[in-house]
Amino acid sequence: MNLQLQGADLRQVEESRAAKGKAGLPRLTALIFAAACGLSVANVYFAHPLLDAIARDFSIDPASVGIVVTVTQIGYALGLFFIVPLGDLFDRRKLVASQAVLSALALVLVGLSPSAAVLLASLAAVGLLAVVVQVLVAYAADLAAPAERGRAVGTVTSGVILGILLARFVSGLVADFAGWRSVYLVSAVLTLAMAAILFRVLPRQEAVRPRTSYIRLLGSVLRLFVEEPLLRVRAVLAMLIFASFNALWAPLVLPLAAPPFSLSHTEIGLFGLVGVAGALGARWTGVLVDRGQGQLVTGLSLALMAAAWLPIAFMGTSLWLLVLGIVMLDLAIQSVHVTNQSLIFARRPDARSRLVGGYMIFYSLGSALGSIASTMIYGAWGWTGVCLLGAGIGLAALAFWAATARVGC
């Protein structure tokens, strides 16, 4: 009946794993988790390089087209609160497979949308169900041995960031050949295939789950914010870093598709591949966290995130400066994100799904605010306004970290 009682059992399991010197999450399984997370989160970000095409198709004003991204993030935030905590209560294998199948259906609706209203509703459903990513991240943290949890979270989270970045290239490429709707229809097929793979790979037996009601489970998410100061701090940092992330990516297609650049969707999507270098560079962040360097990684990464907006601001001079800024920004954000999750997962082993659900609500909130704010600012003040917004968010995050650095030490 008591949710915290289960935590003692989980700690005993972890101590037993450590004593035996065995990692609970095989490397191949971790890579499958990463691939599944990448595909699922890509569904949320496919729209970024397609915003101009979607705006034309549904007669949406370019300054308001950020709503396409925002409604998806709102759906994602709702899923984080209402669906992800179920991973602490029910069989994750069935939960993951069910979400993947429903995601495929939502993707089909997006691809066949006859109106803007249906499109926005379908994208909200895509966001709602894409939170299977966080169920898998929490699952990976549960399966990993304590001494290697940071590494495991780093591997799986790298799949998430790679999915976000590669989504832009893949969607741009497919859209140039077959139209933007085909992007979602192809993803629906791949998502169904991934559902079958996960249903086969995920463990068929899990630890005994606590017996409690759904309402109490949701209430415990709110209690975690009261009981865990580290969760509050890291959630705010998540909101700020992903606001900065989306402040770049949401409006980027608008200046790149317009003169003097006039790039195609495929060419714009290539900038997502640039960010892969940053994401892969941050893969080993979890190792540093395992060695107790979480605060140092956070401070250096936030400083890098703020500095990244300087070369980005001068992309009109050379697109190579944009490339440099993207690598810097993605490396910084991935590093902070992996650090955040590694630290909060270590705090409460009995509540990892609820911890990541609560934490990622702030991620989704930051993503939504960054998307809509940056597209509106671009419409009013152009690329310079967007860069000032991004740099301001970075400096605010750095100042907040400095003021709260002692929390969790």
Side-chain angles (χ1 to χ4, degrees):
M1 199 75 176
N2 189 332
L3 289 172
Q4 293 188 3
L5 190 60
Q6 187 69 16
D9 297 332
L10 288 175
R11 291 187 189 96
Q12 290 176 2
V13 171
E14 292 192 342
E15 290 171 1
S16 176
R17 284 180 183 163
K20 294 177 181 178
K22 296 180 180 179
L25 184 65
R27 184 177 296 274
L28 178 59
T29 304
L31 292 176
I32 292 173
F33 274 38
C37 287
L39 176 60
S40 298
V41 79
N43 293 328
V44 177
Y45 289 91
F46 280 142
H48 279 184
L50 309 176
L51 290 180
D52 59 333
I54 292 173
R56 287 194 304 269
D57 207 1
F58 293 103
S59 300
I60 302 174
D61 185 78
S64 304
V65 74
I67 190 67
V68 170
V69 177
T70 300
V71 296
T72 311
Q73 293 294 345
I74 290 173
Y76 198 82
L78 292 173
L80 290 169
F81 184 75
F82 290 105
I83 295 178
V84 172
L86 293 175
D88 286 334
L89 192 61
F90 296 122
D91 182 343
R92 288 192 180 113
R93 178 169 171 264
K94 295 178 181 178
L95 183 63
V96 166
S98 299
Q99 284 181 256
V101 171
L102 292 174
S103 292
L105 295 176
L107 289 164
V108 170
L109 287 176
V110 173
L112 301 178
S113 295
S115 66
V118 174
L119 173 75
L120 295 177
S122 301
L123 285 171
V126 168
L128 181 75
L129 295 162
V131 296
V132 66
V133 171
Q134 305 312 322
V135 178
L136 287 169
V137 171
Y139 203 175
D142 271 357
L143 293 175
E148 296 189 355
R149 182 171 299 115
R151 185 191 296 253
V153 171
T155 298
V156 177
T157 304
S158 290
V160 177
I161 301 298
L162 289 175
I164 293 173
L165 298 172
L166 291 174
R168 295 172 172 83
F169 171 70
V170 172
S171 63
L173 181 65
V174 174
D176 278 342
F177 280 97
W180 70 266
R181 293 175 183 272
S182 62
V183 174
Y184 293 95
L185 297 177
V186 170
S187 183
V189 175
L190 294 176
T191 301
L192 276 178
M194 185 56 71
I197 293 171
L198 288 172
F199 194 71
R200 181 178 180 83
V201 169
L202 295 179
R204 294 179 179 273
Q205 294 182 345
E206 296 190 73
V208 177
R209 297 295 181 186
R211 296 179 180 179
T212 188
S213 69
Y214 179 60
I215 299 300
R216 287 191 177 186
L217 185 75
L218 296 182
S220 69
V221 176
L222 301 178
R223 284 200 305 274
L224 284 171
F225 279 97
V226 175
E227 298 168 356
E228 300 294 341
L230 180 64
L231 176 60
R232 297 196 296 269
V233 169
R234 293 290 159 170
V236 172
L237 288 176
M239 180 179 68
L240 293 171
I241 63 175
F242 283 101
S244 180
F245 184 87
N246 281 276
L248 170 66
W249 288 107
L252 184 60
V253 63
L254 302 176
L256 292 181
F261 301 114
S262 301
L263 301 182
S264 68
H265 288 126
T266 300
E267 291 169 327
I268 294 170
L270 286 172
F271 286 96
L273 293 182
V274 171
V276 170
L280 290 177
R283 181 174 177 268
W284 302 107
T285 299
V287 177
L288 295 175
V289 177
D290 289 336
R291 295 174 180 173
Q293 301 299 317
Q295 289 291 5
L296 177 62
V297 170
T298 302
L300 293 176
S301 298
L302 291 175
L304 182 65
M305 184 179 80
W309 285 95
L310 182 59
I312 290 171
F314 288 96
M315 77 172 188
T317 303
S318 171
L319 287 179
W320 287 110
L321 290 174
L322 175 61
V323 169
L324 173 62
I326 288 173
V327 172
M328 293 169 63
L329 190 72
D330 289 344
L331 173 61
I333 289 171
Q334 166 73 338
S335 297
V336 177
H337 188 42
V338 171
T339 301
N340 287 349
Q341 292 182 98
S342 298
L343 291 176
I344 64 174
F345 282 150
R347 188 56 61 99
R348 289 285 295 274
D350 59 309
R352 289 192 177 120
S353 288
R354 281 166 284 154
L355 283 170
V356 75
Y359 164 81
M360 291 297 293
I361 287 173
F362 284 77
Y363 148 92
S364 192
L365 178 61
S367 296
L369 292 175
S371 298
I372 194 66
S374 59
T375 52
M376 291 177 66
I377 286 176
Y378 179 79
W381 293 293
W383 192 246
T384 299
V386 171
C387 292
L388 289 174
L389 171 66
I393 294 171
L395 292 173
L398 188 59
F400 178 78
W401 167 80
T404 59
R406 292 185 178 276
V407 176
C409 292

